[in-house]
Amino acid sequence: MTTITAATPKTVNITTQKIDTQAEYQALIDGTNSLMPSDDPFVLAKRKITRADLFAEWQSRIDAAKATKSSRLALAAAVAHERQLDVTVKPLRGAFKTFAQSRFGKNAPELQELGFVQNRTPRKSVQKKAAGTVKAQTTRKARGIKGRQQRAAIPSAPAVPTAPADTSAGGGTVAAPPAAGVPSVTSSAPPGQASAGTAARS
């Protein structure tokens, strides 16, 4: 079974990334001088080229690789220098923006002339904001709320209490009224006597 593994990305080192190219073409020049010292001209891809011209082509490739490496080293140094300056200069620009806002205003168009983006104008109109403020103040005043602690201390709705038992003067106890929907059954017989229906069932 073939196992497929992900290739690990190779970190490019600017100082060594062009050495392989330089070494390849330098090996061509050195090997040709060592193994074929007397061959001249060469016929390559149906093209006749002299030894001197061939070596000049290879040497130009080596020189180009060296120039690219030097340019990339200079670019890396320039980027590092730019980042170092940004640490010092960027806070000064932010401080100057605050200074300009204090002079012209946070929504002033003059900020754009200085390269800053002015603050966005709020979408709510002044009338709507004023109405919302009045409404909020009225609500807070009606509830007597002055802060978060008082808002959290507002009691919730109390539970409905059950009706207590009513004790009459004779010492008897009258039961609580039945729930809604349940008919109540009362007896009209005087105390001490059973009803006719009760006597018949017994």
Side-chain angles (χ1 to χ4, degrees):
M1 180 178 180
T2 304
T3 303
I4 301 176
T5 57
T8 303
K10 182 179 179 181
T11 303
V12 177
N13 189 343
I14 296 176
T15 59
T16 60
Q17 62 182 342
K18 291 298 178 181
I19 290 181
D20 293 340
T21 301
Q22 297 175 34
E24 288 175 354
Y25 285 96
Q26 189 61 50
L28 278 174
I29 296 174
D30 296 341
T32 303
N33 283 329
S34 175
L35 299 174
M36 295 169 279
S38 59
D39 290 10
D40 190 17
F42 294 93
V43 179
L44 305 175
K46 299 181 181 181
R47 173 192 172 191
K48 184 182 288 187
I49 184 171
T50 64
R51 187 183 191 89
D53 291 341
L54 180 60
F55 283 9
E57 293 286 348
W58 289 343
Q59 186 62 45
S60 65
R61 184 65 184 88
I62 294 174
D63 295 340
K66 290 181 179 179
T68 301
K69 184 177 71 173
S70 299
S71 298
R72 291 186 176 180
L73 287 172
L75 176 62
V79 171
H81 179 63
E82 181 182 359
R83 290 176 178 175
Q84 184 178 2
L85 286 176
D86 195 50
V87 174
T88 305
V89 178
K90 190 174 182 179
L92 293 176
R93 184 177 183 271
F96 193 85
K97 180 181 180 180
T98 304
F99 170 77
Q101 287 177 338
S102 64
R103 170 168 292 190
F104 302 108
K106 294 184 178 181
N107 298 325
E110 287 82 0
L111 295 177
Q112 293 186 356
E113 297 183 24
L114 296 172
F116 300 117
V117 178
Q118 62 196 71
N119 291 357
R120 295 181 178 179
T121 305
R123 295 182 179 180
K124 283 188 176 181
S125 63
V126 178
Q127 293 80 4
K128 288 185 177 180
K129 290 186 66 176
T133 302
V134 172
K135 182 178 180 180
Q137 292 177 351
T138 303
T139 303
R140 290 169 64 90
K141 185 176 180 180
R143 294 183 178 182
I145 301 173
K146 296 183 179 179
R148 293 183 179 179
Q149 295 180 354
Q150 291 182 344
R151 186 183 296 110
I154 295 177
S156 58
V160 179
T162 57
D166 184 14
T167 304
S168 61
T173 301
V174 179
V182 179
S184 59
V185 180
T186 57
S187 176
S188 59
Q193 295 181 4
S195 61
T198 304
R201 285 194 295 271
S202 60

